[in-house]
Amino acid sequence: MLPTPAGLEERLQTATTPEDHLAVAEPYREKAGETRRAAEEHLRLAQRYVQVCKRFGKRKQWHCQLIAAHQRKIAEGYDALAELHDADAKRRDLPL
């Protein structure tokens, strides 16, 4: 679970060691996984809508696919933030 914005802000302000940055990266990695799982669920729903909804099934499918695409993009953003914090953890000139 991603810390609250205030909790994350505090972590960012106090991140001075490699361990601190790895600790900031981990919730982003977890959130990326959660977001990808939600995208997969929407893709399953998209298929289901077409199978069971005679009325607006295709439109509902389209919206589920759109949501899944956005969720995959968001997951990429979380991954990128985690990777940047991993890179900070490897820097020898910490703090930021």
Side-chain angles (χ1 to χ4, degrees):
M1 178 66 119
L2 200 59
T4 63
L8 185 55
E9 187 174 344
E10 182 180 332
R11 282 186 186 186
L12 294 174
Q13 289 176 347
T14 60
T16 57
T17 68
E19 294 78 17
D20 292 340
H21 284 284
L22 292 174
V24 172
E26 189 54 34
Y28 283 123
R29 247 187 290 292
E30 291 172 8
K31 191 67 175 173
E34 290 172 16
T35 306
R36 279 192 183 83
R37 286 188 293 279
E40 291 168 10
E41 179 62 26
H42 274 96
L43 289 176
R44 283 191 295 277
L45 285 171
Q47 292 306 312
R48 212 54 196 133
Y49 273 126
V50 166
Q51 294 168 354
V52 300
C53 291
K54 294 186 187 333
R55 184 175 180 181
F56 302 123
K58 286 282 188 190
R59 287 175 64 187
K60 292 172 184 176
Q61 178 189 41
W62 183 85
H63 284 288
C64 283
Q65 291 170 334
L66 180 66
I67 290 167
H70 286 291
Q71 288 172 319
R72 286 191 303 262
K73 250 341 211 184
I74 291 168
E76 289 173 13
Y78 286 128
D79 285 335
L81 284 168
E83 289 170 13
L84 289 168
H85 281 285
D86 288 342
D88 280 337
K90 293 175 185 172
R91 288 179 53 197
R92 298 191 183 269
D93 60 343
L94 289 173
L96 295 176

